[in-house]
Amino acid sequence: MAKKKRPAVKRLTLPGQLDNWVLYGFLAIAVVLPLAMSRPLWLTFDQFDITKILFLRLLTLFTVIFWIGKMLSSKRQDIRWSKLDFLVLGFLLLVIISTFTSIHLPTAVFGKYKRYEGLLTFLNYGTLYFLALQTFTNAKRLSKLGTAITLGGAVVALYGVAQYMGHDPLPWAKLPFEARRAFSTFGNPDLLAGFLVILMPIVVAEFLRTKRIKDKTGRILYEVFIAACYIISLASFVFAQTRGAWLAGFVALIVFFVIAFGAMRKNPRKTFILIGITVLAVVVAVIYNNLSGGGFNIFERIQSAAQFDQGSAGSRLEIWKAGEQVIKARPVFGWGPDTFRLTSQRYETLKYAKMGGGMTVADNAHNYVIQLAAGVGIPAALIMVVFLAIVIFISAKRTLKLPEDERFVHAGLTTAVLGYCVHLLFGISISGSTSVFWIIVGALVATSASVRTLQVTSRATGSTALKAAMGALVLISLVSAYYGMRMFRADQYYAQAIQSENSGDFQGAMSAYNQAIALYPNGIYYDNYGLFLERVGVEQQNREMINRAVNVYREGKDWEPYDMDHYVSLAGALARLATSRNDQVLNDAVDTLKYAIKEVRPNSMPAHLLLGNIYLFQGKYKDAISALKFAYDIQPQEIQNVQLLAKAYEDIGNKKQAKLYYEKALALQPGNAEVKQAIANLSK
């Protein structure tokens, strides 16, 4: 009996192969970026975001190269575009203008340390959007994107659950948030929750759609596997304990059910299973939290979101008030991308300073509209809001017209975008999530009816312009990748410096600090290098080392003149050099602090406290009381503030006030023998 001939496999041309590699580049970004962190393979101080930025820049560069290779090897070059692209281009143009009119050019270009959402990152987002528009040309490719996000995201979520349950294989230092909150590969529960908002509706879509697996057993096993991914994602989402993200996730899932309901009715079994595991996963996660002493009550946590006079809800409201003033000061082009920390210090409310004890600086608005308006101006923020609103609307509208399987995929991606937008009204944009978000946005626009195709041949007048645009795209990607590698290497040196410092290798620490600053100057490196030199100088009673610390602090201040930390550190080191109350360095320290309080951060508790301390040493008691009273009003629970204020009143002979504040100090620290003796002396 003659064997049936297998159909010949059609070999892809070189452009077709390269086009596939562009797709693989996107899938790699969607999987690798959320997972990327420096532990345990590399040693960096910023163990999360700087690694994500490095992989984003490198993978984007490779994807750009593959796409340009495809274009150059094609006889006819097709450029897919949409009228929505003009909004993206307008936004990026305003970001560029804002960068070069910014309050601090380096921050505007590279972004704040540990955030990195400066000009280069915005251009990276724009590149991803444009290439996604060229790449996701059909439903099959959209489906692959959803599957990739599901599989990579499930690993992220699983790690978060393991952390919450106390099975984290990696040791972490003291965490800057409540114990037993999942943070996974994002380093912060709020940032993890933002990614999970994107993930969950996509996993739901992956579960509901019919996977074309011929073997029935294999198909059932795959469904069970995806259901498990969804349960893990939900559990991690609950354990992150982020209320704004909970709201965003709820909105995303509800809208998913609305726009996919027509397709869900055709498969009631899966729909009921999905509803059942959603309820069961949340209930089990809450019960487990309560039985294991997880430390949070989900209902109390939800209720606390409405308490605007305290907690994170109250502090966010105060940050938004400061953001409003920042925007009013420069409404058109803003202060520069990612410069919110530098500008919010000047406009922060006194209430916010008191809520944070004067030690907390808002480095982000916790509302992306305010963040954008403050950074790149109101017009740019409005363009972004309008663009995303249109994308969500046309994507949701198109979803209703699609056949069953395609509707699920499209609904998952659309509601992922919607959910993340809601999350950003209360959260923070970071590259690990926002890059995936922009890929999805580009992919949704790519499959919409608004897309047009422009055909360019080698002899066409537009060919030269296209090649110039491709050259610019490569240049931007190369520059971004180059600086991504420099920043990553600098942070490795910074981590080495801290290790050397802790082990007593002072020369090694100084060398590593200098190399870090040479590769990637930023305020954190300068301040900690100066602090190291100052500490060594004090321990060794070496004035020359303290002088070197002063010089480093000055360099940091000159590099980043709108951050209060540099001024306080510099003034503190200058004060250490004083040999008498009439020493000129004390006047220099006072001038430094007075300028910073006036021009940089008026409500700085550390600056007022240090200024009061110096005035006290100089014998300027009335000035000391004024400065110390301000510090005390911001942080009345800090015993040092109370004792110094009592001492100042005692020195001017006001025994009544002195005793009053000493008694307050004793209430804070009942066993303080020094305070007891001071009260006894005043009572004689």
Side-chain angles (χ1 to χ4, degrees):
M1 186 176 177
K3 292 183 179 180
K4 288 184 179 180
K5 289 185 178 181
R6 292 182 178 179
V9 178
K10 186 177 179 180
R11 293 193 127 199
L12 287 175
T13 60
L14 178 59
Q17 292 174 345
L18 292 172
D19 185 51
N20 277 344
W21 278 104
V22 175
L23 175 64
Y24 300 150
F26 277 114
L27 301 183
I29 292 172
V31 172
V32 172
L33 214 59
L35 288 168
M37 63 178 185
S38 65
R39 297 184 73 175
L41 298 179
W42 305 285
L43 176 68
T44 56
F45 184 80
D46 175 6
Q47 298 171 79
F48 301 98
D49 295 287
I50 204 163
T51 309
K52 295 183 191 302
I53 277 290
L54 176 65
F55 276 98
L56 170 64
R57 302 281 169 79
L58 292 177
L59 289 172
T60 300
L61 175 62
F62 295 146
T63 306
V64 166
I65 290 172
F66 288 134
W67 179 75
I68 289 179
K70 168 202 158 187
M71 295 295 287
L72 294 178
S73 61
S74 301
K75 292 181 180 178
R76 190 185 69 189
Q77 298 162 338
D78 292 341
I79 300 295
R80 292 164 56 81
W81 66 281
S82 165
K83 290 181 180 179
L84 291 173
D85 299 355
F86 294 107
L87 292 174
V88 176
L89 288 171
F91 173 78
L92 291 177
L93 177 61
L94 289 172
V95 171
I96 293 170
I97 294 172
S98 173
T99 298
F100 289 100
T101 60
S102 69
I103 192 174
H104 190 237
L105 184 61
T107 298
V109 172
F110 302 111
K112 178 196 167 291
Y113 180 69
K114 288 193 173 185
R115 289 289 179 263
Y116 315 111
E117 201 165 62
L119 172 64
L120 292 180
T121 300
F122 280 115
L123 292 175
N124 213 144
Y125 295 158
T127 300
L128 292 176
Y129 167 80
F130 172 75
L131 291 181
L133 199 62
Q134 313 308 311
T135 305
F136 292 94
T137 54
N138 54 55
K140 185 178 180 181
R141 290 193 162 193
L142 277 183
S143 174
K144 287 183 177 180
L145 177 61
T147 302
I149 294 172
T150 296
L151 298 180
V155 179
V156 172
L158 180 62
Y159 183 34
V161 172
Q163 284 173 333
Y164 177 84
M165 298 178 73
H167 301 303
D168 193 333
L170 299 175
W172 298 98
K174 184 178 179 181
L175 300 171
F177 42 81
E178 302 94 328
R180 292 196 67 180
R181 289 183 69 184
F183 58 88
S184 191
T185 56
F186 284 82
N188 184 293
D190 294 349
L191 307 183
L192 167 64
F195 172 71
L196 294 175
V197 169
I198 294 175
L199 173 66
M200 287 192 302
I202 294 174
V203 181
V204 168
E206 189 71 14
F207 175 75
L208 289 173
R209 74 189 188 88
T210 304
K211 194 70 176 176
R212 288 176 172 78
I213 300 174
K214 292 181 180 179
D215 178 57
K216 183 179 179 181
T217 304
R219 187 167 62 252
I220 293 173
L221 288 175
Y222 185 78
E223 288 178 1
V224 171
F225 170 71
I226 296 300
C229 291
Y230 180 55
I231 292 169
I232 291 167
S233 301
L234 272 173
S236 188
F237 192 53
V238 172
F239 295 151
Q241 303 177 38
T242 305
R243 292 158 300 186
W246 287 346
L247 173 63
F250 178 76
V251 170
L253 291 177
I254 291 297
V255 174
F256 178 93
F257 275 72
V258 170
I259 62 178
F261 182 72
M264 293 171 71
R265 284 190 307 174
K266 297 178 181 179
N267 195 337
R269 180 185 68 86
K270 276 192 175 184
T271 301
F272 285 124
I273 290 173
L274 178 67
I275 294 172
I277 62 177
T278 300
V279 174
L280 184 63
V282 173
V283 170
V284 170
V286 172
I287 292 174
Y288 176 82
N289 167 75
N290 294 335
L291 293 178
S292 63
F296 79 97
N297 182 302
I298 189 169
F299 301 107
E300 290 179 358
R301 194 158 182 85
I302 291 171
Q303 288 175 353
S304 68
Q307 297 173 350
F308 297 118
D309 59 338
Q310 58 184 300
S312 59
S315 65
R316 275 174 171 74
L317 183 60
E318 296 305 312
I319 291 171
W320 296 345
K321 289 178 182 178
E324 181 184 3
Q325 298 305 312
V326 172
I327 294 166
K328 284 182 178 179
R330 277 198 188 182
V332 180
F333 296 122
W335 296 82
D338 217 8
T339 58
F340 193 83
R341 174 185 170 87
L342 302 180
T343 54
S344 69
Q345 295 182 57
R346 179 171 179 78
Y347 295 99
E348 70 179 354
T349 65
L350 185 60
K351 184 176 180 180
Y352 176 78
K354 289 180 178 180
M355 293 176 81
M359 305 302 292
T360 304
V361 176
D363 66 356
N364 195 284
H366 290 272
N367 178 297
Y368 203 48
V369 178
I370 295 175
Q371 178 80 8
L372 286 176
V376 295
I378 293 174
L382 286 176
I383 288 173
M384 181 56 62
V385 169
V386 169
F387 169 75
L388 292 175
I390 293 173
V391 170
I392 293 168
F393 176 77
I394 64 173
S395 297
K397 187 176 179 181
R398 184 171 186 273
T399 300
L400 298 172
K401 301 176 181 179
L402 293 172
E404 182 180 327
D405 264 21
E406 290 184 34
R407 182 181 295 192
F408 287 136
V409 174
H410 217 266
L413 295 172
T414 301
T415 53
V417 170
L418 171 64
Y420 194 62
C421 287
V422 175
H423 163 71
L424 287 180
L425 294 177
F426 312 97
I428 297 172
S429 169
I430 56 162
S431 61
S433 300
T434 306
S435 299
V436 177
F437 170 81
W438 273 103
I439 292 172
I440 297 172
V441 168
L444 289 172
V445 175
T447 56
S448 70
S450 66
V451 173
R452 303 287 183 268
T453 301
L454 176 66
Q455 296 178 352
V456 181
T457 61
S458 57
R459 294 181 180 179
T461 54
S463 177
T464 303
L466 176 60
K467 289 177 181 176
M470 289 192 292
L473 206 59
V474 170
L475 180 62
I476 290 169
S477 301
L478 278 171
V479 169
S480 298
Y482 170 73
Y483 280 107
M485 290 187 288
R486 278 182 67 104
M487 292 158 66
F488 185 84
R489 185 64 181 132
D491 213 51
Q492 286 183 312
Y493 278 122
Y494 180 44
Q496 290 172 21
I498 293 172
Q499 278 196 336
S500 298
E501 181 181 345
N502 292 336
S503 65
D505 180 9
F506 297 148
Q507 291 299 322
M510 285 191 287
S511 174
Y513 272 120
N514 286 323
Q515 287 174 304
I517 289 172
L519 285 170
Y520 173 34
N522 71 73
I524 297 292
Y525 294 176
Y526 279 115
D527 279 349
N528 281 283
Y529 185 21
L531 187 63
F532 160 66
L533 294 172
E534 186 178 352
R535 181 175 62 81
V536 172
V538 171
E539 289 175 355
Q540 299 179 354
Q541 296 185 346
N542 186 335
R543 287 178 59 83
E544 177 56 33
M545 194 66 76
I546 297 175
N547 268 314
R548 291 176 68 175
V550 166
N551 291 333
V552 170
Y553 288 140
R554 280 205 173 104
E555 288 175 14
K557 174 182 70 68
D558 293 341
W559 173 260
E560 195 178 56
Y562 298 99
D563 194 315
M564 188 58 147
D565 290 348
H566 308 319
Y567 293 89
V568 175
S569 298
L570 173 59
L574 286 170
R576 286 191 185 278
L577 292 172
T579 55
S580 71
R581 62 170 57 187
N582 297 318
D583 200 316
Q584 178 57 39
V585 292
L586 288 178
N587 293 329
D588 293 343
V590 167
D591 290 342
T592 298
L593 291 170
K594 288 172 68 176
Y595 171 82
I597 289 171
K598 181 182 178 183
E599 301 293 339
V600 180
R601 190 184 183 195
N603 293 330
S604 170
M605 191 282 292
H608 281 90
L609 178 61
L610 179 56
L611 184 60
N613 225 328
I614 295 172
Y615 279 143
L616 200 60
F617 181 70
Q618 289 180 316
K620 299 177 180 179
Y621 301 119
K622 289 185 179 180
D623 290 333
I625 288 172
S626 177
L628 293 171
K629 191 74 167 59
F630 191 95
Y632 168 78
D633 288 341
I634 290 178
Q635 199 179 51
Q637 302 303 314
E638 174 57 50
I639 191 167
Q640 182 186 12
N641 294 354
V642 188
Q643 277 188 270
L644 285 172
L645 192 53
K647 179 71 168 57
Y649 277 116
E650 183 180 5
D651 287 340
I652 64 170
N654 190 336
K655 291 185 177 182
K656 182 180 178 180
Q657 288 295 316
K659 188 177 180 181
L660 173 66
Y661 283 102
Y662 275 129
E663 287 173 347
K664 289 182 177 183
L666 192 62
L668 292 172
Q669 202 174 83
N672 191 313
E674 181 184 349
V675 173
K676 287 181 179 179
Q677 185 60 52
I679 293 173
N681 292 339
L682 288 169
S683 301
K684 290 178 181 178

